[in-house]
Amino acid sequence: MSYKAGIFTAITGLKDRTGSSSIAIKKHMQANMPADKKWLNGMFLNALKKGVADGDLVQIKASYKLSPDFKKKAAAALKPKKAPKKKAAPKKKSAKSAPKKKTAPKKKAATAKKTTARRQLQRR
């Protein structure tokens, strides 16, 4: 893994809203570095400067963030090209499908009967 790629993975891994400091990026990279590789601080600093110069990183005070343009490029690279979709076979309607039940308005009829019964009692 190159230093530049390591910086990008460290910034995305740290997920700081205001940006990640160079020290935090360095610690993250050293923790994830293979044991056989030697840390070269000069290469790390040059990779940070080159990232800012290329427009891949944005420097805010002493912190670094991924630029919006780089995020768009990374998102576009991650999305695979869509293959043409196959047409789905139409679903066959089964003859044994359950018929829909109609609910009778029993409550309305019951209330109507009660009111008529009350009226008849009142009329007497």
Side-chain angles (χ1 to χ4, degrees):
M1 178 188 316
S2 68
Y3 281 92
K4 191 173 183 180
I7 290 169
F8 294 143
T9 56
I11 291 173
T12 54
L14 292 170
K15 297 181 183 177
D16 287 333
R17 189 174 67 90
T18 57
S20 303
S21 67
S22 60
I23 296 167
I25 295 169
K26 182 192 235 180
K27 286 181 181 178
H28 189 273
M29 285 180 64
Q30 286 176 341
N32 296 329
M33 182 182 278
D36 62 335
K37 192 171 182 182
K38 185 179 176 185
W39 178 257
L40 299 172
N41 201 45
M43 294 283 287
F44 169 72
L45 294 174
N46 283 336
L48 275 177
K49 289 177 186 174
K50 190 169 185 337
V52 172
D54 291 344
D56 295 336
L57 296 174
V58 177
Q59 186 174 4
I60 302 167
K61 296 182 183 178
S63 298
Y64 295 90
K65 291 171 74 172
L66 295 177
S67 68
D69 295 336
F70 182 78
K71 287 181 183 179
K72 288 178 186 176
K73 289 177 188 176
L78 288 177
K79 289 183 180 178
K81 293 181 180 178
K82 294 183 179 178
K85 293 183 179 180
K86 295 180 181 178
K87 292 182 180 178
K91 295 180 180 179
K92 295 180 182 179
K93 294 182 179 178
S94 61
K96 296 180 181 180
S97 63
K100 294 181 180 178
K101 296 181 181 180
K102 294 183 180 179
T103 56
K106 294 178 182 178
K107 292 182 181 178
K108 291 181 181 177
T111 56
K113 289 180 183 178
K114 287 181 185 177
T115 55
T116 55
R118 286 183 189 162
R119 285 184 187 166
Q120 288 176 356
L121 290 174
Q122 288 176 352
R123 289 183 186 168
R124 291 185 187 173

